[in-house]
Amino acid sequence: MHANDIKRLRSPRRAVLLATVLLALAPAGAGPACAALIGSAATPARTSASTTLRVCADPADLPFSSNQPNRPGIYVALARHLASQLGRPLSIVWAPTDQDEEMLHKTLLAGTCDMFIGVPAAAEFLDGKVILSHPILTAGYALVRPAGSGIDDDAALAHHAVAVQFASPPQDMLSRRQDVDAVTVMSPEEGMADLKGGQVQAALLWGPSAGYLNQAAGSGYSITPLQGRHMQWQVAIAFAPAARTLRARVDRALSDDPGFMQQQARQYGFPGSGSGIQQAAVMNEVQTLKVPAITKDTAPSQDLPKSETAQDQPGPAAAGDKGTREAAFTPAGGDPVAGHSMFNGNCAHCHGPDAVTGDGRVNLRLLQVRYGAGMDQMFYHTVTHGRIDKGMPNWSGVISDQQFKSILAWLHSVQAKA
């Protein structure tokens, strides 16, 4: 699984799905990453004296979570179910997921809540700072089309107008085809509207959102999960490292009622309601990301070639220690294998899985072509200052300098010649 990031497993609520690193899906008017602790109506099954189960959840992220009592979302429904199974009262920590990893540092890892539902089921998630439940379901992108259209797989998209979400793996897939009229949309809502209006004959959209919109509108479209690399992900629950006993109890509760998530998937219109959402609570181990080995032929060179095309160099470094670090920053000492995992977990949403994207503006395989010997300094300046006007956040304090070195080491191994 390449997308070790929560956003792949949550709703695209803003205009740009996956178009910016961890900011693309922020809810309108989202405030600070940690909101007030609010109790839910869950009733303990065995004892009211039990310790409260505190669960982080986004207040405006249907079909995953919501503070609407009559439409709580699949993750809040699961939280209520688990609290009942464990015999503990439930409180929800409403925490907008505009920057998920930062939010988890401020809530779960700070002791504000006990668990967060809806993270990638990969041991590398959050650099191993959390522990994970067994996978609870699978979610990903889907093919949406009118029932009976005959468009039953990606091959049948030929010679059709197809809505596809910006900066998503399906867009990367279509960018390699010349026989499809790809229409870029910025959200599942826009894609479903184009489909309804007849501007397109099919759409490749984030499946949970498309299914929820289809069900809510009673549209009756056929929605099938897309298969293939980077199209589907297993979902798990994150816990703080010290919560191993709680994790074991949660895994046991999930195993005791394996049909619960299937029922919730049907209720919220998830694609397939069986094929697209796969119950996996009784799996024995969490799936891990398999990263290709870095060989001597692909390892980053310590002698970077200069380029005559180096332009748009970063301005003078900020004064002080940060500026000194920026000027001296290199990939030396970075682990490209770890950097590959970190990149796919934090950067792939905008820059493409494995830094492969059909959008040349964000193609990080061209950094050396663009910046030559200034590539390392441009990289470090950007990740530690951000480009907020372009949707790129400042990652300082979330990713360490050593992790930046590892990401850069891997990027050096995949640079294109032109």
Side-chain angles (χ1 to χ4, degrees), residues 324-343:
T324 301
R325 293 200 310 271
E326 180 179 317
F329 188 80
T330 74
D335 178 355
V337 174
H340 187 185
S341 176
M342 287 289 297
F343 179 91

Side-chain angles (χ1 to χ4, degrees), residues 8-70:
R8 292 290 193 192
L9 312 178
R10 311 195 81 77
S11 304
R13 296 181 301 277
R14 277 187 181 264
V16 181
L17 171 68
L18 307 178
T20 61
V21 179
L22 297 180
L23 284 177
L25 311 185
C34 182
L37 183 69
I38 302 175
S40 80
T43 301
R46 288 182 280 274
T47 171
S48 60
S50 300
T51 304
T52 297
L53 181 66
R54 303 166 302 164
V55 180
C56 290
D58 193 305
D61 192 21
L62 284 171
F64 294 101
S65 61
S66 165
N67 58 8
Q68 301 176 30
N70 61 336

